[in-house]
Amino acid sequence: MQPMRASRREATALNVDVPVARAGEFQPLRLGNRLSLWPPVVLAPMAGVTNYPFRTLCREQGAALYVSEMITARGWLEGNPLTRLLASGGPEERPRSIQLYGTDPADLGEAARQLVDDGVEHIDLNFGCPVPKITRAGGGSAIPLRPRLMARLVRATVEGARGVPVTVKVRKGIDETLLTFLDAGHVAESEGAAAIGLHARTAAQLYAGAADWEAIAALKAAVRIPVLGNGDIWECWDALRMMRLTGCDGVIVGRGCLRRPWLFAELAAVFAGREPAPQPRLGEVAALVRRHARLLVEFFGETNGLRQMRKWCSWYLTGFRHSAPARAALSRLTTLAELDAVLARLDPEEPFPLHTVRSNRVKDSRPQRRVALPDRYLERRDDDTPIRAPRDPEERRTWE
């Protein structure tokens, strides 16, 4: 028997008739022997986004696991102040989760050991970043091109973590001619990773086009460890469709929550067999904007916090009628008083612009013509020699 559905669901046409979860249809996401997560939903690590203030908002809405933005192993080991800040959280943030980047097994192993000693309860390894400055140095999406090197990196991190679950996140590959996700899955499984997350796009795609959910299904069929699907989770029902179509064990939510952190409350509802609450009106969104700004100021200080808040103001208000002047004013935001004054001029009763949910282009949606790789990198794909990590202070600041 299907659960009853509200007669007027606020959903785009793609999801109007998707049923909520049946009792027992989905299971908690289990990572190793230490973590059991419900609902099986993970906040994706995103640079400049998943800092402690935004993770706080997501945790309050219902995310089961909320991963930090990427930090470098070398930055952590050398006590870089920004790295340490980005890796920090509050005592209520459990489980504490860090995404770690490195290209040297020794660095990753020691960083994992220290992070676990610092209270970290989950480590995610970044093998999927498509950004040119990363792949050009042989990192991110370039690492799975060398499975023996990837194996050394995973093995060192698992050993350093001493039982704390380590997961890996990858893309399909460099492009459609260089697909690496199945090999990466076998490497992750053989070296003791607790799960693998797949962003079902290639590095060349960046965020363009539709995510290839069939690749998630193929990975799930190829490995025994849990598989997390990532790509095109814009509405809560997308997560149900993905898990039903692919058989994956959980979902990773990225861009879909950047202007709608309440998406996690909607996800919690549909996984529990309930219809989600109606979309908030502009007054409720404005209240969330104010709170987010204050959390950023508390964490980063007024100048840096409000500078970061400028992009969030644009994301939160996009699509509302007559919001362009407000977004323009807030792009120069310097004080909380300015924020309050601009938000006070908006109509608190205006409905949320549902038509914008699936057209959110927070990140560049244009593909790369060519993914940057080190010279002659493809000629030695069996090489397990570590790529040189950034060690010059200025070079590390660029990467962080």
Side-chain angles (χ1 to χ4, degrees), residues 2-24:
Q2 294 285 355
M4 293 183 64
R5 179 171 63 81
S7 58
R8 294 190 62 188
R9 172 183 285 185
E10 291 187 350
T12 61
L14 183 63
N15 288 313
V16 166
D17 295 316
V18 176
V20 298
R22 301 182 303 274

Side-chain angles (χ1 to χ4, degrees), residues 282-283 286-287 290 317 326 330 336-348:
L282 182 51
R290 292 186 182 96
L317 300 180
L330 294 174
L336 289 171
E338 291 173 15
L339 176 67
D340 291 337
V342 172
L343 294 178
R345 297 196 291 267
L346 302 176
D347 177 6

Side-chain angles (χ1 to χ4, degrees), residues 1 39 72 158 200 285 294 302 314:
M1 180 178 178
T72 65
V158 169
V285 175
R294 282 162 173 77
E302 184 173 36
S314 176

Side-chain angles (χ1 to χ4, degrees), residues 207-394:
Y207 303 93
D212 179 9
W213 289 5
E214 291 183 2
I216 300 171
L219 181 59
K220 176 59 183 174
V223 299
R224 296 184 300 275
I225 58 175
V227 171
L228 308 179
N230 179 213
D232 293 347
I233 305 294
W234 301 105
E235 300 175 86
C236 54
W237 301 281
D238 294 329
L240 302 181
R241 288 194 301 108
M242 177 187 280
M243 292 188 70
R244 287 165 177 158
L245 177 68
T246 69
C248 67
D249 302 277
V251 298
I252 301 173
V253 180
R255 290 178 297 161
C257 70
L258 294 193
R259 60 189 296 254
R260 296 200 315 124
W262 59 89
L263 174 58
F264 291 108
E266 298 173 357
L267 286 159
V270 297
F271 274 103
R274 306 188 310 271
E275 287 289 329
Q279 294 298 308
R281 293 184 177 271
L282 182 51
E284 296 171 85
V285 175
L288 180 66
V289 171
R290 292 186 182 96
R291 176 137 192 272
H292 195 167
R294 282 162 173 77
L295 288 172
L296 284 171
V297 168
E298 290 172 7
F299 190 70
F300 288 107
E302 184 173 36
T303 299
N304 191 8
L306 291 177
R307 185 180 296 120
Q308 293 195 42
M309 191 63 204
R310 293 170 184 171
K311 66 176 182 285
W312 288 101
C313 290
S314 176
W315 295 347
Y316 281 127
L317 300 180
T318 292
F320 286 102
R321 296 191 312 272
H322 313 303
S323 65
R327 297 198 309 272
L330 294 174
S331 70
R332 303 181 295 274
L333 180 66
T334 58
T335 69
L336 289 171
E338 291 173 15
L339 176 67
D340 291 337
V342 172
L343 294 178
R345 297 196 291 267
L346 302 176
D347 177 6
E349 296 303 314
E350 183 178 344
F352 186 84
L354 190 64
H355 67 278
T356 66
V357 167
R358 305 192 76 86
S359 60
N360 186 349
R361 291 295 177 261
V362 169
K363 293 191 176 183
D364 194 342
S365 60
R366 297 170 297 179
Q368 302 184 78
R369 291 184 178 180
R370 177 178 173 274
V371 177
L373 295 171
D375 289 341
R376 307 182 72 176
Y377 190 75
L378 295 175
E379 296 177 11
R380 301 172 59 191
R381 293 187 58 185
D382 63 342
D383 192 353
D384 68 353
T385 305
I387 306 298
R388 187 188 68 83
R391 295 178 184 272
D392 174 80
E394 181 59 34

Side-chain angles (χ1 to χ4, degrees), residues 3 11 24 46 49 55 59 77 114 132 135-136 160 162 164 199 217 221 244 253 261 266 271 346 358 377 387 396:
M46 292 176 279
V49 170
R55 297 198 307 271
R59 185 182 67 253
L77 292 174
Q114 292 187 18
T135 59
R136 185 179 294 112
R162 293 162 294 161
V164 164
H199 184 164
R244 287 165 177 158
V253 180
E266 298 173 357
F271 274 103
L346 302 176
R358 305 192 76 86
Y377 190 75
I387 306 298
R396 282 197 302 279

Side-chain angles (χ1 to χ4, degrees), residues 71-74 100-104 107-108 125-127 143 153 389:
I71 67 165
T72 65
R74 175 52 51 180
L100 189 61
Y101 173 86
T103 56
D104 186 309
D107 285 351
L108 283 174
L125 289 175
N126 183 329
F127 296 139
I143 288 176
L153 298 173

